[in-house]
């Protein structure tokens, strides 16, 4: 069945619009959650050979505490590094955090996503036998906001999705073609897909094994030595490439394969909920896409049941498509895997869903033929709306296309959030809108990105990421664009700036200053905002504070501190002047005076401030003592005490506060 000409023309326009949005958005959008961490990983990979974070390493090797060493690989970031070097943005051993370098890496992700779109189109050509339907499948994929939105920046999930699709396509071509030249191309495509997917996220390998199992089993059953030898060649080539690129991990293949699967499955040590995936399918995917995909699944099942169809090669291709779309998601639901931040961990299923949705379009149009005039006209209209409506929503949200939610979710979501904040549907969870927000962020002050909230709904100046001012934090979303800040504010010492994304709710102690918004369907939604907030500090524990590299004592750190498991206590970051700690004093200390006693190491000269005022310090060995008078203790009000420490090489091990009479 040929695709109707109007549908082909509409699909061509949709692909052009999707590609244009991806390229322009990749250059314009800001840095996302994971990118800064992968910059750190890439620097360590170039320096030590291990693609791990600073806190994971001890003398260039994984520390004995590190149990996530095989979760990620350097293939995608390596490609981005080569690309940046070609444009003169990075040197051979240097990975840049400049806005231009992040934008260049975004373009690499966009190009990889285009390979995924092209692979989806070719796979559809294999299934349907027509290039016109291949164009429709490509259009359906780029019209999925989750796909196009993440194609602008996501350095780990988009490459995995593209690699998985390349693997499925290669297996399909290897199986359906009888020409050795085409089979060899399929072999090369399989190898490329494995390297891209496993070299970026090693834990995806069970899915690829599941994808290849039907082809291997049938080839063994038929004793097809040519296809078996090509499969072995593809696997061997991919394995060799992975070892060459990342020998520290893949040089021990058994450890890498078992470790990556186990580490990915137990990430964060939390159990998920079976309903999470079905719920977010309804939220994140366009409703008509889900409907067409379901119809496509039914069409596949009916194809299997037809007795006049040979048990031949096309059936196996449909099995491969169904496996990519449904197998791992079904296992995730059955195992109640710890999925989070929407559907991006299952983005690899989107290309296969586009193929199934294309089969669903065929079925809908076929059903409309020979029926009443209403149905005959309604079927093409339904398909047209399925393509156009999500693209219109993406244009509204651009370049934050991934913040899309379906029409039913847009109706129900605000009502659920009003009842319980936990049910708010996030918009810009990925924080890329902070680049647009940056010129509206006031200069100066303590800036906390993604602040925590206390039991009273107040924003507190602590982020789970680090204990640094977000303006200079290398893993935060603001630092690359900090020079763009131009707004002003009084910068009082008892307030801080909170930057939050993906939510319309602000802390009870905050006053919004500026925001980035977009339209979504009929609503205006908040992407990100900056607010000035009263300083809410953690209570001082009666037993005092002990600091260690595993995070102990970290709840009171404001900015300027570093923690590493191999080092004692907490240390001052280079350039921190001062590094600060914030506490709420108990009633018996809040009137002052207060005596501070701390155990330190590494610095011969230490200076201390309390609520902005310098205090006299005496040292005896590793013990530091300072007396804080009553007026200074009460200066910030509401029982707040902010301590600042300066001293080259200082490490703080313990801190205890007592009344002056003690």
């Amino acid at each position: 069945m040929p695709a109707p000409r109007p549908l082909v023309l509409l699909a061509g326009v949709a692909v052009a619009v999707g590609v244009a949005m991806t390229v322009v958005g990749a250059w314009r959008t800001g840095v996302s959650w994971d990118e800064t961490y992968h910059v750190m990983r890439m620097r360590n990979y170039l320096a030590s050979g291990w693609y791990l974070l600073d806190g994971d390493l001890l003398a260039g090797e994984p520390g004995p505490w590190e149990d996530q060493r095989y979760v990620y690989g350097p293939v995608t970031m390596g490609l981005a590094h080569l690309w940046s070097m070609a444009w003169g943005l990075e040197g051979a051993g240097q990975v840049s955090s400049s806005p231009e370098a992040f934008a260049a890496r975004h373009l690499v992700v966009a190009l990889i996503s285009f390979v995924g779109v092209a692979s989806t189109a070719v796979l559809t050509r294999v299934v349907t036998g027509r290039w016109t339907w291949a164009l429709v499948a490509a259009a359906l994929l780029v019209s999925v906001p989750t796909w196009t939105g993440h194609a602008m920046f996501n350095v780990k999930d988009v490459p995995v999705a593209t690699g998985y699709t390349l693997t499925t396509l290669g297996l399909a071509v290897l199986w359906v073609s009888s020409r050795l030249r085409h089979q060899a191309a399929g072999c090369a495509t399989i190898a490329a897909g494995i390297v891209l997917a496993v070299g970026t996220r090693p834990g995806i390998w069970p899915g690829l094994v599941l994808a290849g199992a039907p082809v291997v089993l049938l080839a063994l059953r038929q004793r097809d030595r040519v296809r078996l030898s090509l499969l072995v060649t593809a696997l061997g080539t991919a394995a060799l490439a992975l070892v060459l690129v990342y020998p520290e991990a893949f040089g021990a293949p058994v450890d890498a394969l078992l470790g990556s699967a186990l580490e990915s499955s137990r990430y964060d040590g939390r159990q998920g909920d079976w309903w999470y995936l079905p719920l977010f399918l309804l939220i994140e995917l366009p409703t008509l896409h889900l409907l067409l995909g379901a119809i496509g699944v039914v069409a596949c099942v009916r194809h299997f049941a037809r007795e006049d169809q040979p048990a031949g090669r096309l059936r196996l291709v449909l099995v491969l498509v169904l496996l990519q779309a449904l197998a791992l998601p079904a296992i995730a639901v059955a195992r109640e895997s710890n999925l989070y931040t929407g559907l991006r961990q299952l983005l690899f299923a989107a290309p296969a869903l586009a193929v199934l949705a294309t089969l669903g379009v065929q079925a809908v149009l076929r059903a409309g033929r020979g029926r009443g005039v209403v149905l005959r006209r309604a079927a093409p209209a339904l398909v047209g709306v399925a393509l156009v409506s999500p693209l219109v929503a993406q244009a509204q949200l651009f370049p934050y296309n991934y913040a899309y939610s379906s029409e039913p979710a847009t109706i129900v979501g605000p009502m659920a959030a009003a009842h319980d904040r936990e049910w708010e549907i996030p918009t810009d969870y990925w924080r890329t809108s902070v680049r647009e927000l940056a010129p509206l962020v006031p200069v100066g002050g303590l800036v906390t990105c993604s602040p925590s909230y206390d039991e009273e709904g107040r924003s507190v100046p602590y982020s789970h990421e680090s204990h640094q001012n977000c303006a200079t934090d290398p893993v935060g979303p603001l630092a690359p664009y900090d020079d763009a800040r131009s707004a002003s504010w009084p910068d009082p010492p008892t307030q801080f700036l909170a930057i939050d994304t993906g939510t319309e709710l602000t802390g009870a102690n905050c006053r919004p200053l500026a925001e980035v918004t977009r339209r979504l369907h009929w609503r205006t939604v908040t992407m990100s905002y900056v607010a000035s907030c009263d300083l809410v500090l953690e209570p001082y524990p009666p037993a005092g504070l002990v600091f260690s590299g595993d995070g102990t004592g970290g709840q009171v750190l404001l900015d300027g501190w570093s923690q590493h498991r191999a080092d004692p206590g907490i240390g001052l970051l280079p350039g921190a002047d001062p590094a600060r700690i914030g506490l709420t004093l108990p009633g018996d200390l809040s009137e002052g005076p207060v005596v501070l006693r701390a155990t330190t190491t590494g610095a011969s000269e230490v200076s201390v401030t309390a609520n902005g005022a310098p205090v006299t310090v005496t040292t005896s060995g590793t013990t530091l003592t300072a007396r804080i008078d009553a007026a200074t203790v009460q200066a910030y009000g509401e029982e707040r005490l902010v301590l600042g420490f300066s001293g080259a090489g200082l490490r703080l091990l313990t801190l205890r506060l007592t009344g002056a009479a003690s």
Side-chain angles (χ1 to χ4, degrees):
M1 172 185 176
R5 183 178 296 272
L7 177 59
V8 175
L9 293 175
L10 181 60
V13 172
V15 170
V17 170
V19 168
M21 281 198 290
T22 301
V23 172
V24 177
W27 188 257
R28 285 182 50 184
T29 197
V31 63
S32 66
W33 269 108
D34 294 313
E35 290 177 81
T36 52
Y37 290 98
H38 283 274
V39 166
M40 184 186 297
R41 289 176 182 274
M42 191 63 192
R43 288 170 178 165
N44 287 325
Y45 168 74
L46 294 176
S48 70
W50 280 102
Y51 193 70
L52 296 173
L53 300 173
D54 292 351
D56 301 335
L57 294 171
L58 176 62
E61 296 290 331
W65 59 85
E66 176 52 31
D67 60 355
Q68 299 282 306
R69 67 183 65 184
Y70 300 116
V71 172
Y72 297 114
V75 165
T76 297
M77 281 296 290
L79 293 173
H81 181 53
L82 293 174
W83 170 270
S84 297
M85 288 174 59
W87 287 98
L89 297 172
E90 295 179 350
Q94 177 250 345
V95 184
S96 174
S97 294
S98 70
E100 295 78 15
F102 280 115
R105 284 188 282 269
H106 293 168
L107 291 176
V108 171
V109 177
L111 291 173
I112 291 174
S113 80
F114 296 156
V115 174
V117 173
S119 301
T120 303
V122 177
L123 182 59
T124 305
R125 166 65 175 80
V126 173
V127 172
T128 65
R130 294 183 180 271
W131 285 111
T132 53
W133 286 115
L135 184 62
V136 172
L140 285 167
L141 180 56
V142 300
S143 68
V144 175
T146 302
W147 175 269
T148 299
H150 283 272
M152 300 177 191
F153 64 88
N154 192 323
V155 296
K156 58 183 185 181
D157 297 308
V158 169
V160 170
T162 295
Y164 201 137
T165 308
L166 284 170
T167 303
T168 298
L169 172 61
L171 290 167
V173 170
L174 177 63
W175 188 253
V176 300
S177 179
S178 57
R179 296 182 180 180
L180 184 60
R181 179 163 57 100
H182 291 170
Q183 291 176 342
C187 171
T189 303
I190 294 169
I194 293 173
V195 171
L196 182 59
V198 177
T200 301
R201 187 182 279 248
I204 193 63
W205 71 265
L208 301 185
V209 170
L210 187 63
V215 176
V216 173
L217 292 175
L218 280 177
L220 287 172
R221 180 180 179 183
Q222 298 178 10
R223 298 182 179 180
D224 191 333
R225 295 182 179 178
V226 173
R227 288 186 172 88
L228 285 173
S229 62
L230 287 172
L231 283 171
V232 171
T233 300
L235 184 61
T237 302
L240 178 60
L242 290 171
V243 171
L244 291 175
V245 170
Y246 196 11
E248 298 292 348
F250 292 110
V254 175
D255 290 342
L257 293 176
L258 292 179
S260 62
L262 293 174
E263 290 168 5
S264 297
S265 65
R266 65 174 181 239
Y267 177 76
D268 206 24
R270 291 187 297 179
Q271 185 75 18
D273 298 293
W274 69 267
W275 47 261
Y276 181 91
L277 177 56
L279 176 64
F280 271 87
L281 284 172
L282 295 173
I283 292 174
E284 282 196 20
L285 288 186
T287 304
L288 289 178
H289 279 242
L290 277 177
L291 177 62
L292 291 171
I295 294 173
V297 173
V298 173
C300 288
V301 173
R302 293 184 63 182
H303 179 88
F304 296 149
R306 288 170 59 179
E307 295 182 358
D308 60 330
Q309 290 288 333
R313 308 198 183 280
L314 181 57
R315 288 190 179 185
L316 181 61
V317 176
L318 293 177
V319 169
L320 296 177
V321 172
L322 288 171
L323 284 173
Q324 181 174 344
L326 303 177
L328 290 184
I331 292 172
V333 171
R335 295 186 68 250
E336 296 189 317
S337 298
N338 180 24
L339 301 176
Y340 52 94
T341 64
L343 300 177
R344 59 94 182 169
Q345 292 163 297
L346 302 176
L347 194 62
F348 58 80
L353 178 62
V355 178
L356 293 173
T358 303
L359 298 179
V361 169
Q362 283 187 325
V364 167
L365 295 179
R366 190 179 292 113
R369 291 184 174 181
R371 305 294 176 90
V373 64
V374 174
L375 183 59
R376 190 167 62 250
R377 293 178 178 176
L382 177 72
V383 174
V385 171
L387 278 176
V388 173
S389 177
L391 285 172
V392 170
Q394 290 190 64
Q396 289 180 303
L397 293 167
F398 180 81
Y400 317 117
N401 304 36
Y402 55 84
Y404 172 90
S405 59
S406 65
E407 289 85 349
T410 304
I411 295 172
V412 176
M415 294 185 289
H419 176 71
D420 186 343
R421 180 173 184 157
E422 293 295 323
W423 288 100
E424 182 185 25
I425 298 174
T427 53
D428 182 20
Y429 167 85
W430 293 94
R431 311 194 301 185
T432 64
S433 64
V434 172
R435 180 179 187 177
E436 184 178 340
L437 182 69
L440 306 175
V441 177
V443 176
L446 171 63
V447 185
T448 301
C449 294
S450 304
S452 302
Y453 293 86
D454 66 9
E455 295 179 353
E456 299 178 33
R458 300 176 299 179
S459 294
V460 294
Y462 311 107
S463 169
H464 76 276
E465 287 186 287
S466 67
H467 303 287
Q468 298 186 45
N469 190 324
C470 191
T472 57
D473 186 355
V475 298
L478 180 60
Y481 318 107
D482 187 59
D483 291 343
R485 294 167 66 187
S486 58
S488 61
W489 71 312
D491 192 9
T494 56
Q495 291 189 357
F496 71 100
L497 293 173
I499 293 178
D500 211 352
T501 62
T503 178
E504 298 180 354
L505 305 176
T506 58
N509 58 321
C510 298
R511 180 176 64 87
L513 301 176
E515 63 181 358
V516 173
T517 63
R518 289 292 189 273
R519 294 286 292 181
L520 174 58
H521 306 310
W522 56 87
R523 294 185 63 230
T524 298
V525 293
T526 300
M527 296 292 112
S528 57
Y529 67 80
V530 57
S532 60
C533 305
D534 291 331
L535 194 61
V536 176
L537 302 174
E538 289 289 315
Y540 171 75
L545 288 160
V546 176
F547 302 101
S548 66
D550 63 0
T552 302
Q555 73 274 14
V556 301
L557 306 184
L558 293 180
D559 63 345
W561 298 101
S562 68
Q563 293 178 286
H564 193 286
R565 290 177 180 269
D567 297 324
I570 54 176
L572 270 67
L573 287 166
D577 187 22
R580 294 183 292 176
I581 289 173
L583 302 159
T584 297
L585 296 174
D588 60 333
L589 298 179
S590 60
E591 299 297 325
V594 168
V595 174
L596 178 155
R597 294 183 177 88
T599 306
T600 66
T601 185
S604 58
E605 295 185 6
V606 179
S607 60
V608 177
T609 62
N611 286 347
V615 296
T616 302
V617 174
T618 60
T619 59
S620 176
T622 60
T623 301
L624 177 152
T625 305
R627 186 181 188 278
I628 309 171
D629 62 50
T632 301
V633 170
Q634 299 173 32
Y636 282 3
E638 299 184 16
E639 303 176 335
R640 289 177 288 216
L641 180 63
V642 176
L643 301 171
F645 293 83
S646 300
L650 173 67
R651 301 200 68 83
L652 184 60
L653 308 181
T654 67
L655 187 149
R656 183 171 177 79
L657 302 174
T658 60
S662 299

